[in-house]
Amino acid sequence: ASGRGSTEVDGFWDILEERRRTSDLSHALRTFNPQPYKGAPPCSSSELNRAVLESQFLRHVVKEVSAESGEPVEVVRDEASGLLEEMSQNLQLTFIRLLGFSLSKVFKRLFQKILINEEGLNRLQQAIPEHPVILMPNHRSYIDFLVLSYIMFTYDLPIPVIAAGIPLMSMKLIGEIFRRSGAFFIRRAIGDDKLYWALLSEYVRTIVRIGFAPVEFFVEGLRSRTLKSLPPKLGMMHMVLEPFLKGEVYDISLVPISISYDRVLEESLLAHELLGVPKPKETTRGLLKARKILEDDYGSMHVCFGEPLSVRGLAKGTVNRWQYNLVPRDLPAKPSEETLGFVSGVAHLVVRLQEKGMVLSPWSLIATVLLQNPLGMDLDALIQRTCWLRELVEGFGAVLHWTGRSCEVVLSSLSRHHSVVRCEKGRVTLVEEAGASPATPEEGVFRRAAAVLMCASYRNQALHVFVRPALVATAITSPTVTDEDIFAHFQFLQDVFSNEFIFIPGTSHQDFEEGCSSLRKCGAVQVCDQQIRVTEEGKDTIFFLTAVLEPFIQTYQMVFRHLTNEPDQPFTERQYITGVRSSTLKRILSGDVQSFEALSSDVQKNVLSGLVRMGGVTKLKKGVRSEFRVDKTTIGRIADKLGKIYILC
Amino acid sequence: FSCSSSGVKPAVATGLVGTVQQQDIMKWNGWGYADSKFFFNKKGQGEFTGKRYRLSGLILPSLKDWFEGTFGANLQHKSPPSLNTSAVAPPSLNEAFVEELKSTGIPFSHDTEDRVFRAHGHCLHEIFSLRDGRVGRCPDMVVWPNCHNDVVKIVELACKHSVCLIPYGGGTSVSSALECPPEETRSIVSLDTSQMNRILWIDEKNLTAHVEAGIIGQDLERLLNESGYCTGHEPDSMEFSSLGGWVATRASGMKKNIYGNIEDLVVHIKMVTPRGVIEKSCQGPRMSTGPDIHHFILGSEGTLGVVTEVTLKIRPIPEYQKYGSVVFPNFQQGVACLREVAKQRCAPASIRLMDNEQFQFGHALKPQVSSIFTSFLDGLKKFYITKFKGFDPHHLCVATLLFEGDREKVLQHEKLVYDIAAKFGGLAAGEDNGQRGYMLTFVIAYLRDLGMEYYVIGESFETSVPWDRWVLDLCRNVKERIVRECKEKGVQFPPLSTCRVTQTYDAGACVYFYFAFNYRGLSDPVHVYEQVEHAAREEILANGGSLSHHHGVGKLRKEWMQETISSVGLGMLKSVKDYLDPNNIFGNRNLL
């Protein structure tokens, strides 16, 4: 308990504190005797695999695949067995201990503190024996799941099995270690591979059904390169929920877990990826090279275990489980629209709760402020503005990790992020990559953009706090707005940006209410007689909030313009990215576009998916690759409406 | 047409003489015979009174501990019934109807006691209200037709004078089917079939018997036995329920594996409806003459008319009967065994599987053993099963078996079943355990009355479910739902939530749940009970269980009918009702 200082966020405590005091070896070799899910009979990994291969579901699919492909059943079954071998975890306590020992060493070098909320951990501890538990962390860094398993080990909780991407597996030694620490590996592009889908889903369902171990997976699907929440992927979510929907377990507990970092290990890689510089293949050697990372200071990380969600509670009144009564449960069946809607709603809710549980680093606020002052700021002004912002976000209900006096907090953040910002002679500016002065103006832009995108990533960690009030602020201040259609404006903006920010489908009204009430609480608006008015002292806040959205609006408009000007021809995603990138570059050079964020391939891809959703672009399946065709009228209409709501300066 | 029989064999006179006596020997606010009940004696030992049952007159030393341990009940905390004679609203009589009825000579009564006795079935809320001295809407009078023709006359008069008729057989309904709709403004007449209790003929060539529908199960069986026959239809309520009631609710009997359920047993049905008498013209064993009209009658729950006479299949009394039991290490293994038995289609006359809680309950009803030797043997058995075989007493469960037929075949059959059981880790546990299991079925309803003396209320309900979704699924989910709902509703002590598998079929099984809790500290225990039962039913349906296997729908489960049989299906049933009974003379408002 001594790890808890008064300066920490309430209820969080540092698990490294004890590691710094007592032996890592005895920590790794301690008695590990977690209480399992009550219904779970002890089951080895190989028994689990056998149960999957021998399940009626899999036998059925194997027969189907054999009939479709003409291959004999035995061949398909062997193939399935091979795939399962590739996929399956091989959780072994010895490796957990080994990993525990080495992670103690690594984490102590990397982080000042790893702070976790004790209360959440207690709730998790109580949930585990009751129902199968699904751990659902957000994904910002490779070490996310290492940290989680480490925490579970430290707190005598069952080690989870973890859905991981196949690239990790190809790292020879590391892949095997991960496998023995409970990771199972999923191929990236499964597509229509029926056998693979069947194996994966039966594997996951079996683990949940028998309560083999808590299942951990990243509902966002990927590590977020932008540090912003990603729209959830639904495949794995559905697999995990099915045992409840089919009555095979009484309930399932979903535990949203919010992981946030003062500084992310992969930060410089991230920005480069977004700018189109390919990321190095994940190899063991690459990881060893990354040893120099160990020399640096990464501040603290926070792991916040959310309140376990009862799937039964969520399903009440939304899913009619009768629908499963008429088909044998062991046969593959397409989920109903109702079920898909439920799965999507749950997945979005979890991402939303991950956002809400996040402990923000002061650096996220500093980055937000700096992005709005691209030419740099005086340190005093930066401190002042950051403190102002701190009050604002705390008013919006966010939790900040603010330990100590404000100027110290800001200064220590600045020094930790010396690769991004520099403070010289009382002036704070973004750092551009060192090296010879840029050969071309384009190169200059990319260097600058790398710094901006890195900053933007950290702003993104706090973006969810601003999004709703910012959308309301944008709607209110729109020149075309009358009181009646503030909500219509809000809804339109939400629609356009719903691939960018996470909104739970069908909850526009609540989102609007939330945005309004945030603005009202901070005094930025007044509501009287059903009318929303910006107050005099609120103008600054409203300006700030709309400015948070501006880079996104600018990028979207930029892409809209690009697409409507292009010749009428189907294109692939790769062609799209290249096209947008060069046209953005041109416009930045010409001064037409100010935001360097428009160069982020992530936002560009979001625009494309958004357009597909809104009918501005049609996705055509052409063999394995998809092509896109533009509907200029629709895009024009959207661009027009957006342009009227928000006039770019 | 006369009431006298014209059968192949002279009609057998029944031993029972009429309503008044039946009513006199039964409780008016509890289950069964007035002389039979559980109570705790001065030493705190359980006892069962009367002489009618195997358990009667015996001391049950473990009952108290089980009762207090399971429910957190305390013998010091009694909740006796309030015995003040209830204020029953005076009858609202249809004078014209009464006048014409008088002229027919059919006996009737509007005595309060007669009316109250027929105003309820045996749902918890019905009995609880009675113990509280509260009575809702009652029938305004009771009529006792003596034969089919009497029923025809009564129905005619009811139609003529717009009187609501509610058929009454044995009064053992557990679906609120006998409750008078409070919104009914017409005079309500309870049509008590108990006087129509004769076997009209027995046809030994075709092995059928033609019986009046008011006959009570045990009388039917006893009378047939006198001639060397039986129907083999033994629902748990057979001491009190009537043949007509079985038809009207689609009853199921314990020994259905040999004899079939009621729909398999009936060859011919005669029913009086407002539109006229419905019956088939021949007794062919199977017909292809459009949808079987019997299936409109079976399960009609008194909404279409009165079943007056039924021709049933009968069988010679089996030469040999043998009980048996098997102990399994856990419920899952037991269910796997039952499934295998069903798969091989070798189920004995009856095979039932109790879960661990019911196994423990069964132990609580073990009478005081007569000798040290028996007690020593019991100890040895227990030692063998738990220590030597490693069964966990908190997980093991018991299947009870009943074999019937000729001796040799029974013994072969028995071996086959025990061999299958052994494959699933089952150990034969003796005839006595089996027999006691079946005896429990008849006394468990009495036990509820004991509970009500000490703040414990409970009830049973049932469902049928396909094999693939139940063991650790439907059973576990429903039991868990009950426990959680109780907690949520503020029940202070963990409830008894237990189940057993009572019937096996090719494609599924019938599951029975018992649910009871200590209601001290609750202001409206019956409401809590109903909410929990409602939730449990929702859970059953969401897990692929049916709305009812044999209790029927009544008014208690009506709300789920449309989802259960589709709105088109419901429309079909309604149109039949509209044709047969356009003025809703049979206005008990069950089912639809």
Side-chain angles (χ1 to χ4, degrees), chain A residues 17-268:
Chain A
E17 200 269 345
E18 201 189 322
R19 292 278 49 71
R20 295 190 204 279
R21 280 193 288 114
T22 63
S23 150
D24 289 336
L25 193 63
S26 61
H27 170 257
L29 294 178
R30 53 202 279 280
T31 340
F32 181 65
N33 195 12
Q35 201 186 357
Y37 164 56
K38 68 169 169 210
C43 167
S44 73
S45 298
S46 55
E47 280 169 337
L48 173 68
N49 288 7
R50 203 173 321 124
V52 172
L53 281 176
E54 284 168 10
S55 69
Q56 191 162 5
F57 177 81
L58 213 78
R59 276 183 298 168
H60 179 88
V61 175
V62 164
K63 247 185 252 165
E64 269 187 1
V65 171
S66 147
E68 284 162 19
S69 64
E71 302 258 20
V73 170
E74 294 72 40
V75 174
V76 182
R77 197 180 300 138
D78 287 348
E79 191 191 339
S81 171
L83 287 174
L84 188 61
E85 199 85 335
E86 172 196 283
M87 181 189 304
S88 58
Q89 51 76 31
N90 184 16
L91 188 55
Q92 289 180 0
L93 188 55
T94 334
F95 273 81
I96 297 296
R97 293 187 186 284
L98 179 69
L99 200 69
F101 181 71
S102 19
L103 287 181
S104 291
K105 301 287 181 211
V106 174
F107 288 157
K108 280 189 285 187
R109 303 264 307 256
L110 284 176
F111 299 109
Q112 288 171 359
K113 286 171 182 169
I114 295 180
L115 294 152
I116 58 175
N117 65 332
E118 223 191 0
E119 194 197 348
L121 213 61
N122 288 339
R123 285 186 304 234
L124 175 61
Q125 195 161 20
Q126 282 160 14
I128 285 172
E130 291 268 303
H131 304 296
V133 162
I134 315 294
L135 303 176
M136 301 181 68
N138 55 358
H139 197 7
R140 301 293 173 261
S141 167
Y142 280 133
I143 63 168
D144 289 338
F145 66 88
L146 295 177
V147 171
L148 274 183
S149 294
Y150 184 77
I151 295 173
M152 300 288 276
F153 175 69
T154 304
Y155 279 84
D156 217 19
L157 297 171
I159 305 299
V161 295
I162 307 146
I166 226 107
L168 269 183
M169 187 193 72
S170 55
M171 298 152 69
K172 269 183 212 138
L173 182 62
I174 301 282
E176 195 48 36
I177 291 178
F178 282 174
R179 196 188 285 282
R180 294 189 185 196
S181 334
F184 64 96
F185 297 99
I186 305 172
R187 295 184 173 175
R188 275 276 180 260
I190 306 174
D192 294 332
D193 190 339
K194 196 167 169 181
L195 189 62
Y196 196 84
W197 271 117
L199 266 170
L200 176 60
S201 56
E202 187 60 20
Y203 188 65
V204 171
R205 283 192 303 246
T206 308
I207 293 172
V208 175
R209 198 187 298 134
I210 66 178
F212 178 84
V215 174
E216 175 180 325
F217 79 100
F218 301 108
V219 69
E220 295 167 298
L222 298 166
R223 192 162 51 88
S224 169
R225 268 60 166 171
T226 57
L227 304 189
K228 181 155 63 73
S229 307
L230 301 177
K233 296 272 188 291
L234 306 183
M236 181 74 86
M237 188 81 235
H238 182 227
M239 291 172 203
V240 156
L241 295 178
E242 244 189 329
F244 166 75
L245 295 172
K246 291 187 170 179
E248 293 167 326
V249 294
Y250 182 77
D251 198 354
I252 295 173
S253 300
L254 307 179
V255 182
I257 301 172
S258 318
I259 304 179
S260 51
Y261 295 89
D262 276 346
R263 186 176 166 201
V264 180
L265 268 66
E266 301 90 334
E267 61 177 13
S268 65

Side-chain angles (χ1 to χ4, degrees), chain A residues 588-634:
Chain A
I588 288 179
L589 286 171
S590 71
D592 200 13
V593 166
Q594 284 80 38
S595 175
F596 287 83
E597 287 186 52
L599 281 168
S600 160
S601 60
D602 179 73
V603 185
Q604 293 161 357
K605 282 179 194 165
N606 289 342
V607 185
L608 187 64
S609 343
L611 282 174
V612 170
R613 182 173 41 77
M614 292 183 292
V617 168
T618 322
K619 195 172 180 175
L620 314 159
K621 264 261 183 285
K622 218 176 173 189
V624 265
R625 233 182 289 152
S626 316
E627 286 202 340
F628 300 88
R629 181 184 285 280
V630 166
D631 173 358
K632 290 188 180 172
T633 350
T634 309

